[in-house]
């Protein structure tokens, strides 16, 4: 990980990657749960591809919006 001036410890990237992992696991759990309750919805490779796509999208969205959400939360906390 290469630290930047804006994020010296690389915490934004690590946080985004962890949220991406949560997205991947959530999709896999949902697909497995559906398979246990009804019938397999997707094959294993398709479920893995879907989970990977969700993980990448989650990582990108979290990385892009984390600062804005933190600023909004700080503004809201200061307002009350």
């Amino acid at each position: 990980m290469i630290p930047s001036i804006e994020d010296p410890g690389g915490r934004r990237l690590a946080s985004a990657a962890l949220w991406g992992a949560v997205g991947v696991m959530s999709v896999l759990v949902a697909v497995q749960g559906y398979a246990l309750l009804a019938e397999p919805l997707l094959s294993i490779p398709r479920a893995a591809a879907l989970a990977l796509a969700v993980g990448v999208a989650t990582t990108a969205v979290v990385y892009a919006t984390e600062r804005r959400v933190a600023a909004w939360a700080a503004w809201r906390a200061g307002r009350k």
Side-chain angles (χ1 to χ4, degrees):
M1 212 178 319
I2 300 173
S4 68
I5 295 172
E6 299 171 348
D7 187 21
R11 291 182 182 159
R12 263 180 81 203
L13 185 58
S15 173
L18 288 173
W19 278 111
V22 169
V24 167
M25 297 302 252
S26 297
V27 170
L28 292 175
V29 166
V31 169
Q32 183 65 34
Y34 188 85
L36 288 172
L37 293 176
E39 61 185 36
L41 184 64
L42 300 170
S43 65
I44 292 173
R46 285 186 179 179
L50 175 64
L52 184 63
V54 168
V56 168
T58 302
T59 301
V61 169
V62 168
Y63 187 79
T65 61
E66 188 174 19
R67 250 195 229 150
R68 180 175 287 173
V69 171
W72 175 79
W75 173 79
R76 187 174 166 134
R79 187 176 60 144
K80 289 184 178 182

